[in-house]
């Protein structure tokens, strides 16, 4: 079932701007398309969205399918699914990727169900490879969809050998953003989709943006506290270290569940996935679900008084000791250097 | 005033969130079969939302689970919390269903058995697969609108529903026509605990396959049929639906109906590569900080 179909990435457009995830996915998309020897295309849907084509080209897209119109201004599952099912029917891409955002996870399953094709949720990696089915059939160059499951305790590789396109949603923040080439051009394909008498429509009566106070993804350094911090009050020690380092404050699920800190700070499978330059885990035992969200960090420092804590298994530096003693020492040392 | 026919789709899942030492194998991987089976947490939020609609507007709460016979336990738990009717969707032919095949079976069950539904409630996602796909796919198969990540129902009319839902970076108030499918988040509500009276009553509830086992406890009945009729009259018989009951085609469910295949499963191990040990002393810390500065981490 070899195919010369393109690799498509759905470029989310919301709040009048292109969302990061659609750009981030172009790096992996580029890799897959090159391996398959096919073109990489972005699909963008919304009102006046063709203007974003440049940035998509500059980040690696060869083509941009733009479906625009004032009726597409606000996201609607039925309308957007209709656009995507019609476009895939017409152009027959072999791979279609979505961000595993709230929108991607609303839209992709509806599209996959309509097309009756396989869809893998929340992938953390994608590769191209061959597959031999249990019945002996061999498939060349298909999409390996790699994802954690079972609360992050296993990593599964999923394939959709017999249906096209092969679809996946991809977790945000796990793939490095693509390099940008100023001035790179591409082909724009304007898509026109008939929308008459479309059933199952919804109407948005009001939308409200909640500004995220915590920006874990954008931080180079994250200082995270776990259950071992002991109390809400004692979380001040984590904040102090973060403040000295100009870092963001993270937390494990156990710390959030215990009420030490708000959920916005949670790192892990059910929180935010991060890959900072430095991750300092304080009093975090390192459950699989936490590690799934931070094990791609460039440097991991673990501070824990339990030498058996699983966090040490992925740490680059380990300090076995009481965080209430170690952290003040760290703060002291860093401050001293500043003065010097 | 309209009364609502509601269907809640629930799943029994292994408790992946509270791993205990007992569930760990010696090689540091998880022994999945040792994990306790629980009611999927967000499905409890879905059930709670349905029960609240019934309390406010009136109606009937039907609960369906698809799974092996042991999944009947979550149906009982649904009854302990106040569900009106529960059904086990179970057939060997469903084994191996991915999200697409599962949504097909669920759609067939709803269309065949509860065709006049107004609202289908699902949890946002299950903690074993974390896919969040079965809800939207079931909505597509039922050809009804979907509202995902729902936190609350703002208004419910004869033909319309208005909800507040989470979106990326915010919230929305969205309106659509009934019938509809909602997926409900864990921030929606606090699921009610078991109701003692219902627990006492429904703990005796049984499915077809339980009958031979429990017949000796009812000396007044000689045959399974007599016992079944008695349980039915008392509202203690849990219906089980198979492939034929829901008029499903075997090629649409199970392995045959699943386009995805698992190529490989790797267990995550807790044994690591080793780390550089820093002594928790002023001197140890100073060396460590110097090292990070030197390699430009700071």
């Amino acid at each position: 079932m070899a195919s010369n179909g393109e690799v498509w990435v759905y470029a989310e457009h919301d709040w009048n701007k292109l969302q990061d995830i659609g750009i981030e996915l172009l790096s992996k998309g580029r890799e897959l398309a090159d391996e398959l020897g096919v073109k990489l295309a972005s699909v963008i849907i919304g009102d006046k969205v063709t203007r974003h084509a440049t940035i998509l080209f500059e980040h690696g897209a060869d083509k941009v399918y733009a479906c625009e119109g004032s009726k597409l201004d606000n996201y609607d599952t039925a309308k957007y699914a209709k656009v995507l099912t019609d476009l895939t029917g017409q152009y027959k891409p072999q791979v279609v990727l979505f961000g595993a955002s709230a929108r991607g996870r609303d839209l992709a399953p509806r599209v996959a169900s309509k097309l009756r094709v396989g869809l893998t949720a929340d992938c953390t990696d994608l590769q191209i490879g061959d597959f031999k089915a249990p019945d002996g059939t061999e498939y060349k160059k298909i999409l390996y969809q790699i994802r954690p499951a079972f609360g992050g305790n296993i990593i599964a590789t999923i394939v959709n050998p017999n249906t096209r396109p092969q679809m996946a949603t991809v977790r945000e923040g796990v793939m490095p953003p693509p390099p940008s080439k100023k001035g790179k051009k591409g082909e724009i394909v304007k898509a026109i989709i008939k929308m008459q008498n479309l059933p199952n429509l919804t109407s948005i009566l009001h939308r409200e943006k909640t500004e995220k106070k915590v920006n874990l993804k954008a931080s180079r350094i994250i200082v995270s506290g776990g259950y071992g911090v002991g109390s809400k009050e004692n979380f001040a020690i984590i904040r102090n270290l973060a403040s000295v380092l100009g870092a963001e404050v993270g937390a494990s699920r156990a710390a959030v569940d215990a009420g030490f800190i708000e959920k916005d700070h949670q790192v892990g499978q059910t929180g935010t996935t991060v890959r900072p330059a430095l991750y300092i885990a304080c009093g975090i035992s390192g459950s699989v679900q936490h590690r799934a969200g931070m094990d791609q960090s460039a440097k991991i420092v673990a501070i824990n008084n339990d030498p058996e804590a699983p966090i040490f298994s992925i740490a680059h530096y380990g300090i076995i000791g009481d965080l209430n003693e170690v952290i003040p020492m760290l703060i002291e040392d860093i401050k001293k250097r500043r003065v010097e | 005033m309209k009364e609502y026919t509601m269907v809640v789709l629930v799943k029994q899942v292994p408790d992946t969130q509270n791993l205990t030492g007992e569930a760990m194998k010696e090689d540091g991987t998880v022994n999945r079969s040792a994990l306790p089976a629980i009611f999927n947490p967000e499905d409890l939020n879905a059930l709670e939302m349905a029960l609240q609609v019934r309390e406010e507007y009136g109606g009937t709460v039907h609960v369906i689970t698809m799974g092996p016979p042991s999944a009947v336990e979550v149906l009982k738990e649904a009854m302990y919390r106040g569900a009106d009717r529960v059904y086990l969707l179970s057939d060997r032919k469903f084994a191996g269903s991915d999200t697409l095949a599962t949504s097909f079976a669920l759609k067939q069950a709803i269309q065949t058995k509860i065709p006049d539904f107004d609202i289908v409630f699902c949890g946002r996602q299950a903690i074993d697969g974390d896919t969040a796909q079965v809800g939207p796919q079931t909505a597509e198969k039922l050809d009804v609108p979907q509202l995902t990540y729902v936190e609350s129902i703002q208004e419910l009319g004869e033909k319309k529903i208005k909800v507040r839902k989470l979106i990326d970076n915010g919230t929305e108030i969205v309106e659509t026509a009934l019938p509809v499918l909602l997926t409900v988040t864990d921030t929606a509500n606090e699921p009610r605990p078991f109701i003692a009276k219902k627990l006492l009553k429904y703990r005796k509830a049984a499915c077809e396959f339980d009958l031979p086992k429990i017949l000796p406890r009812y000396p007044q009945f000689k045959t399974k049929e007599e016992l079944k009729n008695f349980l039915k009259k008392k509202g203690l018989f849990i219906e089980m639906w198979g492939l034929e009951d829901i008029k499903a085609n075997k090629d649409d469910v199970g392995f045959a109906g699943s386009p995805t295949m698992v190529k490989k499963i790797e267990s995550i191990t807790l044994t690591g590569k080793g780390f550089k040990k820093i002594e928790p002393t002023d001197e140890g810390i100073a060396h460590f900080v110097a090292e990070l500065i030197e390699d430009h981490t700071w």
Side-chain angles (χ1 to χ4, degrees), chain A residues 121-137:
Chain A
D122 210 16
C123 295
T124 51
D125 195 10
L126 300 164
Q127 290 166 13
I128 299 294
D130 299 338
F131 173 63
K132 192 172 177 180
D135 68 2
T137 319

Side-chain angles (χ1 to χ4, degrees), chain B residues 132-181:
Chain B
Q133 287 176 187
V134 170
Q137 294 189 316
T138 306
E140 193 281 325
K141 297 251 171 286
L142 287 167
D143 198 18
V144 300
Q146 71 194 44
L147 297 171
T148 52
Y149 297 80
V150 172
E151 278 202 318
S152 69
I153 296 176
Q154 308 267 297
E155 271 177 49
L156 194 49
E158 293 266 326
K159 291 184 176 138
K160 272 187 183 173
I161 184 168
K162 197 202 286 186
V163 305
R164 189 181 77 237
K165 58 170 288 193
L166 298 175
I167 53 170
D168 297 300
N169 310 318
T171 54
E172 268 177 3
I173 309 289
V174 184
E175 187 177 70
T176 194
L178 298 176
V180 67
L181 182 144

Side-chain angles (χ1 to χ4, degrees), chain A residues 109-169:
Chain A
R110 187 103 190 176
V111 173
S113 178
K114 194 119 201 154
L115 296 171
R116 302 190 71 153
V117 302
L119 170 67
T120 304
D122 210 16
C123 295
T124 51
D125 195 10
L126 300 164
Q127 290 166 13
I128 299 294
D130 299 338
F131 173 63
K132 192 172 177 180
D135 68 2
T137 319
E138 291 193 37
Y139 301 86
K140 296 280 178 209
K141 288 197 168 183
I142 63 170
L143 184 69
Y144 292 175
Q145 301 147 46
I146 299 159
R147 69 177 306 249
F150 248 79
N153 296 298
I154 60 167
I155 299 286
T157 302
I158 312 286
V159 290
N160 313 331
N162 291 311
T163 55
R164 294 292 178 275
Q166 304 165 85
M167 289 179 51
T169 64

